[in-house]
Amino acid sequence: PARLPITMNTPVNVLLIDDGDTLLALQGIVRELGLPWRIEQAAGLADARAALAHGSFDGIVSELTLPDGVIFDLFPDREALGDRSVILMTGRGDEAAAARALRAGFAEYLVKQPAHAQLRELPGRLAAAAALRRLQLEQRETAERLNDIFDGTSEIIQSVTPDGRLEYANRAWRETFGYGEGEVAGLNLFSLIHPGSQAHCGALFQRL
């Protein structure tokens, strides 16, 4: 079934990783805006790991530095992040942490402001980040379904760039030409053609 897009009025489960008074400020903004949010607080990395083990969250908001480490200990890279939408709150002038967060796959970062003013930007940022993450998931699922269909046929299917580089080859193609799944990347179609026919085939290929 198709997923509904996340909007400001969509019920959202949020994990707040913070050991300060951010929760009270965020709850106040949520009440003021009438947002149907459920917020769970984790005071450190250990609490966050426990929350992630038993709960599902539409978004995660975290401080950089926590009592038992930094958020990059929990999410050092895109693989660890998985499909989670994480927004980092950093201090002003902490561009290095913000850049590292984006490289690791974090959805956004917010610069802290006096009286937690940055939290007013959070609902819109979180809705946009979660919607983008869901779109990426749907695209991945579609690609996986197509791959299953293509691998299930006995017909040879390939995708080739204009210069002959193979982008994709289905199972029938790989079995016919004797290549493993991990060997296709980097292959050029013309390397599979007899040298005496490469020029002719290249000319024909440029017409397509």
Side-chain angles (χ1 to χ4, degrees):
R3 296 185 177 94
L4 293 176
I6 287 183
T7 67
M8 295 277 282
N9 296 318
T10 302
V12 172
N13 288 328
V14 177
L15 176 62
L16 174 65
I17 309 177
D18 174 80
D19 65 332
D21 60 353
T22 304
L23 177 62
L24 292 175
L26 183 56
Q27 287 175 329
I29 292 172
V30 166
R31 284 194 299 271
E32 178 186 331
L33 298 177
L35 300 175
W37 283 20
R38 175 186 169 273
I39 306 171
E40 181 174 341
Q41 184 178 26
L45 298 181
D47 290 345
R49 289 188 179 97
L52 291 169
H54 69 71
S56 177
F57 299 93
D58 298 296
I60 300 171
V61 181
S62 179
E63 289 275 358
L64 172 62
T65 303
L66 299 152
D68 49 355
V70 295
I71 191 59
F72 299 124
D73 295 333
L74 183 60
F75 300 125
D77 51 36
R78 292 178 184 274
E79 183 177 354
L81 200 64
D83 297 321
R84 301 180 180 96
S85 295
V86 182
I87 295 178
L88 174 68
M89 292 188 295
T90 68
R92 189 173 300 278
D94 204 353
E95 290 83 3
R100 181 179 176 182
L102 295 179
R103 287 197 303 271
F106 284 46
E108 277 271 17
Y109 70 90
L110 288 175
V111 177
K112 294 179 187 177
Q113 300 174 25
H116 299 292
Q118 79 280 358
L119 295 179
R120 293 195 171 274
E121 300 179 34
L122 190 57
R125 299 277 191 101
L126 190 58
L132 176 60
R133 187 70 70 178
R134 288 197 173 189
L135 177 60
Q136 292 170 337
L137 281 174
E138 289 171 357
Q139 291 173 336
R140 186 183 310 163
E141 291 168 358
T142 298
E144 290 172 352
R145 286 196 298 269
L146 288 174
N147 190 62
D148 289 341
I149 293 171
F150 292 160
D151 273 351
T153 181
S154 59
E155 298 293 328
I156 290 176
I157 300 175
Q158 64 186 19
S159 175
V160 186
T161 63
D163 61 357
R165 182 172 51 84
L166 281 165
E167 291 185 313
Y168 171 81
N170 71 340
R171 181 181 291 120
W173 188 102
R174 299 192 301 270
E175 291 175 351
T176 298
F177 292 101
Y179 287 91
E181 186 171 359
E183 297 176 302
V184 173
L187 282 177
N188 192 286
L189 180 65
F190 296 110
S191 67
L192 307 175
I193 299 173
H194 188 277
S197 302
Q198 287 181 0
H200 174 68
C201 291
L204 293 175
F205 191 75
Q206 293 302 316
R207 294 161 150 186
L208 298 177

